[in-house]
Amino acid sequence: IPALKRFLKVYQPCDRDTCRAMLSPGYQDDYSYRGFDSSPEKKSLRPEGLVHRNSIGELYRSRIESAISDLLLNRNLKYEYEPELILGSKRYHPDFCITHPKKGFPIYIEDFGMMSDEDYALSTLNKICDYLNNGLVYGENLMFLFENSKGIDLAAIARIIDMMIA
């Protein structure tokens, strides 16, 4: 009852458009929810590793990937998770691909999370070389994130995304 009384003190009715503007990106224009009860269309190589949910219920391999998807959703950027990218004779699956909203070209986002593992770090270095040697340009159509044991800075990641899509 005390919580209900506090709510009633601050409650303000609002019109339909104002309410729609305040909804999370998980809601469609018809107010149906795209979240937990829907099955996101993922073409994942290892679907059993998808264990972290974003704000609309889509599944990702890591918390950072889930958080990045929310950053993209909050900017109304359509994205593809783990798209196939063929570079020469090699196939890669970067974490995300978004389309630049004004210029229309793809931007690939890669999160490298286990850089303390020597084999992973060597594989990462080879992948970065392949990306750069096949015409992708860091800061233009390619974004790398490197995690460490001290955590992540989502605000910094958001600023980088904003600069790349400006």
Side-chain angles (χ1 to χ4, degrees):
I1 293 178
L4 184 56
K5 286 180 180 177
R6 283 194 306 270
F7 169 75
L8 291 173
K9 284 182 184 178
V10 297
Y11 171 76
Q12 295 178 1
C14 61
D15 62 82
R16 179 183 169 114
D17 292 331
T18 303
C19 290
R20 176 178 281 162
M22 295 186 319
L23 290 174
S24 81
Y27 289 89
Q28 307 276 354
D29 285 339
D30 65 357
Y31 300 105
S32 63
Y33 188 59
R34 294 183 301 179
F36 292 92
D37 50 4
S38 66
S39 56
E41 295 178 19
K42 295 226 187 294
K43 300 170 285 211
S44 178
L45 298 174
R46 300 178 321 275
E48 68 280 359
L50 301 174
V51 296
H52 300 278
R53 289 192 185 274
N54 69 358
S55 63
I56 62 169
E58 294 173 329
L59 291 167
Y60 295 89
R61 294 187 196 293
S62 67
R63 286 186 299 270
I64 183 66
E65 289 177 353
S66 172
I68 291 168
S69 72
D70 281 331
L71 289 174
L72 299 174
L73 284 169
N74 288 333
R75 284 156 179 73
N76 291 318
L77 294 170
K78 294 190 188 298
Y79 58 88
E80 187 177 353
Y81 181 61
E82 296 183 341
E84 183 175 68
L85 174 62
I86 299 172
L87 299 174
S89 62
K90 295 182 181 178
R91 293 177 189 269
Y92 289 106
H93 293 271
D95 295 316
F96 295 93
C97 179
I98 60 175
T99 301
H100 192 287
K102 296 175 187 164
K103 300 177 183 174
F105 59 80
I107 299 173
Y108 297 98
I109 302 173
E110 274 281 15
D111 171 51
F112 300 113
M114 301 186 308
M115 294 305 290
S116 59
D117 179 293
E118 192 173 320
D119 291 335
Y120 182 87
L122 181 58
S123 171
T124 295
L125 181 60
N126 290 330
K127 184 187 279 191
I128 290 171
C129 288
D130 283 347
Y131 283 175
L132 298 175
N133 289 331
N134 282 281
L136 295 175
V137 178
Y138 179 77
E140 183 177 317
N141 59 359
L142 185 61
M143 176 180 172
F144 297 133
L145 305 172
F146 297 93
E147 293 182 49
N148 62 37
S149 60
K150 297 182 186 206
I152 57 170
D153 186 346
L154 286 176
I157 294 169
R159 286 192 302 274
I160 293 167
I161 290 171
D162 290 342
M163 285 188 298
M164 290 186 74
I165 64 171

